[in-house]
């Protein structure tokens, strides 16, 4: 036990002291936070400001459309109303000269009951925002005009057009906030994904480092390979927990000072289960990584094998959507019980809607059994693998290693 | 009570036999040399001695008891492949390794400082290992193996890669440790070193023990049948029937006789021919010669050549 502690302590203190740790701890949340704020602020300001021309023979609906596009909810465009006789060639020229972003031709209906036809020629057909804004505005203008023709007042019209709020209720009738729980679930999922991948690989790397620098031969003269393995997993794991801890505290501090404007709150079970599943997932993936590290001699060889680490994580990524949309389906229950996916997917289900306790218990049990099995195999591969260097082992050799005591 | 006792240990890796029925005993207070060409099973034997690998058959005893991990705190080991944490400071590294050997942090730190002074690398204590020269790193590893004052010191090729000054420093340190009553085992393929320093030796080739015992015993087994002659003039005396083999390096002859008694006859022959002798010495064979002879007897000429190359 003392030896495991010494190994873990060295691993922890040496890693904490590195610049890489400091940079990752500060930079990753800064970048992620910056990214989220950036996307949010761009989304908030993404009202189109295009300048278009409208060719119409009659003032209506062109006037209302202009009003809607220039002062509407989602657009701040500039609209010029031109007579229908304006030459298209001249406008095409203006588009080429980038004076306008497009022009809309309103042709009156051929018979009284039909709607007018609308032809829009944009400068770039990829400018979806503008064409969608025009489409929405036209729809609104036509309905308003129709209602007006039927003698409905303007205030009544706007009341009718107001959007509907759908209240989503929790099981016991309280007002739930599904959007918040989705966001929390996603954030926790990706946090876990990243940390497990990052620190799992760190275990493999730290083993390879020891192999390439040949330190382990000195270490093995006093301690057992299992102790070395356990110490490494614990030490590197503690670094991961420290980093996530710092991020969480920073996030909490930020949320408090920002007056929790986002409305995102973490509940106690969410935090507890996150820690439990993080620890389990981390232990599981790092034992696999340790086995990979023990089998290889260099970082390059490790890169070739790290798909074994990535595959289950990719499976989890693929299952993200089905689980989020239907957290209690048979598929979701099944995949979230697979030990390699459970740390991510069961955790995800817990933060969306609490699964029955037996499912949580079963998943934790399965993970523990798998960790034990993987550790047993890894420590065997480790024991033999670290002393066999030079050539890359093939599968039969690895299987033979299992038999060595 | 012998410090190390190996009884008929055998280790096979896949199809290659690394060590075959090796037995040897090391007594306290001896300097023991483990000799052999590259790939002869020296490192494999050492690894089994300290429990890093387990022999397929045979027994290993340390300090008079069957091998147990607890005994390793009394063993200091310098592996052939040197390795240290590159990014770690020298002192921290020594303290860490000392703690792994069961020392408290304070003891490890104070002893590390004393040893660094003794090995003349006190300036390097606060530096990172990767900033140091290879020879310096080797000295640090040497210290790491000795920090916990082991009773048995095992060093795999301790002198390889060191300049003569540092090699002598290490040699003197090992001799001092032996005087303090510690058992020292080191492997090498430099016979002259062993001949100078060791009390006991074991020669291995192809995983098998070719020769072992105290230096005196080994030498006593062989007759004093070597001549070292420096001469000018007629070299015809080298054809004398008492001479089994002679190498003439233009005026310096290394001669192997058929019997110990032949020396006088060869000298008489040289005098009769009028050769001027400036030096005539009767010697015992060197360890290297003994070793080559034994390997040749067991495995044939080709293997013997391998030793000379090594």
């Amino acid at each position: 036990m003392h030896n495991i502690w010494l190994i873990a302590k060295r691993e922890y203190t040496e890693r904490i002291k590195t610049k890489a740790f400091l940079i990752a701890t500060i930079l990753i949340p800064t970048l992620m936070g910056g990214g989220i704020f950036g996307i949010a602020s761009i989304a908030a300001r993404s009202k189109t400001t295009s300048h278009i021309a409208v060719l119409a023979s009659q003032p209506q609906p062109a006037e209302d459309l202009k009003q809607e596009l220039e002062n509407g909810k989602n657009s701040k465009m500039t609209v010029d109303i031109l007579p229908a006789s304006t030459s298209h060639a001249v406008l095409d020229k203006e588009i080429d000269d980038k004076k306008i972003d497009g022009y809309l031709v309103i042709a009156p209906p051929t018979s009284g009951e039909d709607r007018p036809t609308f032809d829009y020629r944009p400068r770039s057909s990829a400018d979806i925002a503008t064409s969608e804004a025009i489409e929405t505005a036209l729809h609104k203008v036509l309905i308003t005009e129709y209602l007006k023709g039927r003698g409905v007042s303007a205030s009544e019209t706007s009341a009718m057009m107001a959007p509907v709020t759908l209240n989503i209720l929790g099981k016991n009738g309280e007002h739930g906030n599904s959007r918040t729980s989705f966001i929390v679930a996603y954030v926790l999922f990706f946090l876990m994904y990243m940390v497990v991948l990052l620190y799992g690989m760190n275990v493999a790397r730290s083993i390879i480092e020891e192999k390439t620098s040949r330190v382990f031969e000195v270490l093995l003269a006093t301690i057992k390979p299992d102790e070395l393995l356990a110490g490494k997993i614990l030490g590197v794991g503690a670094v991961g927990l420290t980093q996530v801890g710092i991020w969480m505290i920073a996030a909490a501090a930020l949320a408090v000072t920002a007056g929790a404007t986002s409305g995102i709150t973490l509940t106690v079970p969410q935090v507890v289960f996150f820690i439990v599943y993080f620890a389990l997932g981390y232990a599981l993936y790092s034992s696999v990584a340790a086995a990979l590290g023990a089998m290889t001699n260099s970082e390059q060889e490790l890169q070739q094998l790290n798909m074994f680490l990535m595959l289950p994580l990719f499976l989890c990524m693929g299952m993200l959507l089905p689980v989020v949309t239907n957290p209690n389906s048979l598929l979701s229950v099944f995949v979230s019980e697979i030990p390699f996916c459970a740390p991510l997917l069961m955790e995800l289900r817990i933060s969306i809607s609490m699964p029955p306790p037996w499912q949580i218990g079963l998943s934790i049990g399965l993970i523990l059994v798998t960790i034990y099995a993987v550790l047993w195999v890894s420590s065997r591969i480790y024991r033999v693998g670290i002393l066999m260097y030079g050539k890359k082992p093939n599968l039969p050799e690895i299987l033979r290693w299992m038999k060595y005591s | 009570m012998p410090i190390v006792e190996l009884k008929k240990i055998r280790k096979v890796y896949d199809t290659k036999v690394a060590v075959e029925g090796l037995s040897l005993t090391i007594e306290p207070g001896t300097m023991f040399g483990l000799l052999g060409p590259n790939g002869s099973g020296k490192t494999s034997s050492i690894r089994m001695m300290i429990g890093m690998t387990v022999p397929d058959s045979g027994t290993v005893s340390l300090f008079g008891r069957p091998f147990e991990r607890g005994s390793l705190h009394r063993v200091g080991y310098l592996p052939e492949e040197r390795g240290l944490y590159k990014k770690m400071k020298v002192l921290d590294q020594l303290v860490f390794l000392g703690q792994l050997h069961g020392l408290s942090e304070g003891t490890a730190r104070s002893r590390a400082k004393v040893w660094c002074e003794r090995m003349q690398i006190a300036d390097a204590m606060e530096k990172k290992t990767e900033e140091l020269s290879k020879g310096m790193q080797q000295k640090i590893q040497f210290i790491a193996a000795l920090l916990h004052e082991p009773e048995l010191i095992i060093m795999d090729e301790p002198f390889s890669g060191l300049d003569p000054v540092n090699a002598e420093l290490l040699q003197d340190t090992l001799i001092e440790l032996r005087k303090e009553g510690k058992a020292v085992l080191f492997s090498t393929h430099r016979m002259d070193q062993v001949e100078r320093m060791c009390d006991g030796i074991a020669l291995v080739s192809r995983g098998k023990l070719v020769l072992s015992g105290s230096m005196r015993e080994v030498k006593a087994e062989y007759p004093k049948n070597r001549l070292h002659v420096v001469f000018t003039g007629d070299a015809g005396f080298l054809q004398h029937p008492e001479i089994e083999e002679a190498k003439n390096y233009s005026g310096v002859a290394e001669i192997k006789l058929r019997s110990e008694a032949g020396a006088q006859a060869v000298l008489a022959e040289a005098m009769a021919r009028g050769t001027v002798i400036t030096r005539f010495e009767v010697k015992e064979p060197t360890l290297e010669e003994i070793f080559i002879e034994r390997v040749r007897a067991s495995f044939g000429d080709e293997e013997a050549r391998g030793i000379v190359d090594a």
Side-chain angles (χ1 to χ4, degrees):
Chain A
M1 249 353 257
H2 182 62
N3 287 338
I4 297 179
W5 162 246
L6 284 173
I7 297 278
K9 195 178 103 186
R10 194 207 76 88
E11 207 68 45
Y12 184 80
T13 48
E14 285 300 309
R15 268 163 207 282
I16 291 280
K17 276 193 276 181
T18 58
K19 287 196 190 73
F21 177 80
L22 202 68
I23 291 169
T25 309
I26 295 171
L27 217 58
I28 289 180
T30 312
L31 286 178
M32 277 175 70
I36 291 167
F37 275 113
I39 290 167
S41 59
I42 288 167
R45 274 183 222 127
S46 70
K47 292 181 172 183
T48 58
T49 53
S50 310
H51 180 185
I52 64 164
V54 174
L55 273 58
S57 51
Q58 292 158 332
Q60 286 305 348
E63 288 293 342
D64 282 347
L65 182 65
K66 177 181 161 82
Q67 185 66 22
E68 187 63 33
L69 286 176
E70 286 184 341
N71 304 309
K73 204 170 147 203
N74 292 317
S75 59
K76 271 232 162 354
M77 294 168 43
T78 315
V79 180
D80 301 328
I81 298 176
L82 301 172
S85 54
T86 315
S87 149
H88 290 191
V90 172
L91 291 168
D92 283 338
K93 178 97 183 30
E94 277 187 36
I95 284 178
D96 289 344
D97 295 345
K98 298 191 179 163
K99 280 184 187 148
I100 57 171
D101 295 303
Y103 60 90
L104 178 74
V105 181
I106 303 177
T110 39
S111 72
E113 288 301 304
D114 283 348
R115 280 180 170 182
T117 46
F118 305 100
D119 296 320
Y120 180 56
R121 156 87 165 89
R123 185 168 72 211
S124 155
S125 53
D127 187 1
I128 302 166
T130 305
S131 51
E132 270 178 1
I134 295 171
E135 210 175 313
T136 317
L138 279 172
H139 194 230
K140 194 174 172 190
V141 164
L142 286 178
I143 292 172
T144 315
E145 203 179 340
Y146 175 80
L147 289 172
K148 208 186 202 171
R150 294 291 158 116
V152 180
S153 76
S155 60
E156 269 179 300
T157 309
S158 63
M160 274 173 75
M161 305 278 280
V164 174
T165 313
L166 179 66
N167 290 322
I168 292 147
L169 300 179
K171 203 184 279 171
N172 37 15
E174 93 269 19
H175 196 101
N177 189 338
S178 57
R179 232 179 115 199
T180 306
S181 60
F182 274 153
I183 293 171
V184 170
Y186 270 117
V187 168
L188 290 183
F189 179 92
F190 280 105
L191 197 61
M192 188 116 89
Y193 173 85
M194 219 169 63
V195 172
V196 163
L197 194 62
L198 210 65
Y199 285 95
M201 288 310 280
N202 271 357
V203 172
R205 250 180 240 123
S206 94
I207 285 171
I208 290 181
E209 178 205 334
E210 222 131 280
K211 283 177 81 165
T212 47
S213 69
R214 314 235 67 92
V215 183
F216 66 89
E217 202 161 341
V218 185
L219 302 183
L220 287 191
T222 54
I223 64 170
K224 283 192 281 185
D226 319 23
E227 291 173 329
L228 188 57
L229 188 71
K232 282 203 166 283
I233 292 176
L234 286 178
V236 183
V239 176
L241 283 176
T242 308
Q243 198 157 57
V244 175
I246 293 173
W247 292 347
M248 289 292 207
I249 290 166
L254 202 70
V256 169
T257 49
T261 41
S262 56
I264 293 174
T265 46
L266 286 170
T267 61
V268 175
Q270 273 175 339
V271 174
V272 170
F273 278 112
F274 177 79
I275 294 172
V276 168
Y277 278 104
F278 172 74
L280 291 173
Y282 173 73
L284 182 58
Y285 277 90
S286 36
S287 346
V288 176
L292 296 181
M295 275 189 262
T296 49
N297 286 317
S298 66
E299 193 103 351
Q300 288 89 323
E301 285 176 46
L302 180 68
Q303 297 294 337
Q304 293 165 2
L305 285 180
N306 76 7
M307 62 168 182
F308 288 109
L309 211 59
M310 307 287 277
L311 276 179
L313 288 172
F314 283 143
L315 176 67
C316 294
M317 288 292 272
M319 284 295 137
L320 190 57
L321 204 64
V323 173
V324 164
T325 48
N326 201 346
N328 291 315
S329 70
L330 190 61
L331 176 72
S332 301
V333 173
F334 179 73
V335 292
S336 64
E337 292 293 345
I338 299 173
F340 285 95
C341 297
L344 292 164
L345 295 178
M346 189 56 88
E347 154 65 22
L348 185 67
R349 285 181 62 203
I350 287 170
S351 40
I352 296 172
S353 76
M354 188 63 84
W358 69 266
Q359 290 184 3
I360 298 178
L362 179 64
S363 80
I364 292 179
L366 284 175
I367 297 175
L368 288 175
V369 170
T370 316
I371 290 177
Y372 182 79
V374 172
L375 269 184
W376 188 83
V377 172
S378 319
S379 71
R380 235 136 256 259
I381 293 182
Y382 191 62
R383 202 176 334 184
V384 187
I386 50 177
L387 285 178
M388 297 237 167
Y389 29 85
K391 76 186 182 72
K392 219 164 110 183
N394 53 27
L395 193 63
E397 265 170 327
I398 291 170
L399 290 177
R400 206 172 317 126
W401 290 357
M402 308 268 160
K403 284 186 282 184
Y404 287 149
S405 54
Chain B
M1 175 200 74
I3 297 257
V4 180
E5 196 170 15
L6 304 182
K7 273 190 192 145
K8 297 198 165 152
I9 54 166
R10 176 187 156 89
K11 181 86 191 170
V12 182
Y13 289 112
D14 292 337
T15 52
K16 192 180 178 289
V17 180
V19 178
E20 174 78 69
L22 183 74
S23 301
L24 59 87
T25 316
I26 300 173
E27 298 292 335
T30 52
M31 179 86 74
F32 196 93
L34 187 59
L35 284 156
N38 296 337
S40 56
K42 287 174 294 187
T43 300
S44 297
S45 309
I46 287 176
R47 281 185 178 166
M48 282 187 273
M49 225 177 273
I50 55 170
M52 226 191 272
T53 51
V54 183
D56 298 337
S57 64
T59 55
V60 178
S61 305
L62 289 185
F63 308 107
R65 270 178 296 171
F67 178 81
E68 54 188 26
R69 296 202 68 87
S71 315
L72 287 177
H73 281 322
R74 299 159 73 184
V75 179
Y77 172 53
L78 175 82
E80 182 183 10
E81 300 257 14
R82 322 275 188 248
L84 292 165
Y85 290 107
K86 290 193 192 86
K87 306 265 175 205
M88 232 175 153
K89 280 185 187 157
V90 170
L91 191 59
D92 292 346
Q93 187 136 235
L94 287 173
V95 171
F96 169 68
L97 292 170
Q99 280 180 295
L100 277 183
H101 282 96
L103 295 181
S104 75
E105 195 183 333
T107 319
R109 193 169 292 274
S110 57
R111 282 196 198 164
K113 283 181 184 161
V114 172
W115 270 104
C116 284
E117 297 282 348
R118 185 165 170 188
M119 300 309 290
Q120 302 161 6
I121 47 168
D123 310 339
M125 279 193 291
E126 288 304 316
K127 286 188 184 155
K128 281 185 184 173
T129 312
E130 60 186 354
E131 297 165 20
L132 303 178
S133 73
K134 223 175 164 189
M136 265 176 150
Q137 292 189 20
Q138 194 160 334
K139 282 193 199 171
I140 292 161
Q141 198 139 28
F142 185 79
I143 295 173
L146 301 174
L147 216 50
H148 54 294
E149 300 183 343
E151 292 153 66
L152 169 64
I153 298 157
I154 296 176
M155 306 212 148
D156 205 346
E157 302 277 359
F159 306 109
S160 70
L162 282 181
D163 62 56
V165 177
N166 281 316
E168 201 176 318
L169 184 65
L170 244 64
Q171 231 171 62
D172 293 346
T173 314
L174 286 180
I175 290 169
E176 272 169 51
L177 288 166
R178 191 237 333 241
K179 270 189 213 144
E180 289 168 25
K182 286 163 182 164
V184 181
L185 175 143
F186 68 90
S187 79
T188 180
H189 46 240
R190 285 191 48 195
M191 313 265 175
D192 56 323
Q193 232 156 23
V194 174
E195 209 161 358
R196 237 187 0 251
M197 293 171 66
C198 292
D199 316 308
I201 51 163
L203 304 183
V204 290
S205 183
R206 288 195 179 174
K208 284 189 184 142
L209 194 64
V210 176
L211 191 67
S212 77
S214 76
M215 189 67 85
R216 233 166 293 123
E217 277 167 20
V218 169
K219 289 252 172 152
E221 272 182 43
Y222 285 84
K224 283 192 161 194
N225 62 348
R226 305 292 154 130
L227 291 182
H228 178 75
V229 184
V230 183
F231 66 95
T232 46
D234 187 2
F237 73 99
L238 293 176
Q239 308 304 322
H240 192 275
E242 277 290 341
I243 293 178
E244 187 184 321
E245 199 184 331
K247 285 177 194 148
N248 184 0
Y249 307 101
S250 53
V252 181
E254 297 291 343
I255 298 162
K256 186 181 170 191
L257 299 168
R258 289 189 201 284
S259 73
E260 223 165 316
Q264 299 308 316
V266 172
L267 183 60
E269 168 89 15
M271 303 290 266
R273 283 171 179 267
T275 311
V276 181
I277 306 282
T278 48
R279 188 167 172 190
F280 188 87
E281 189 184 1
V282 182
K283 295 195 303 180
E284 55 191 9
T286 62
L287 205 52
E288 188 170 337
E289 284 162 337
I290 294 175
F291 190 28
I292 291 171
E293 203 172 300
R294 288 299 286 260
V295 172
R296 186 174 287 154
S298 328
F299 303 111
D301 283 348
E302 202 164 318
E303 184 72 12
R305 261 199 296 282
I307 297 156
V308 182
D309 294 342

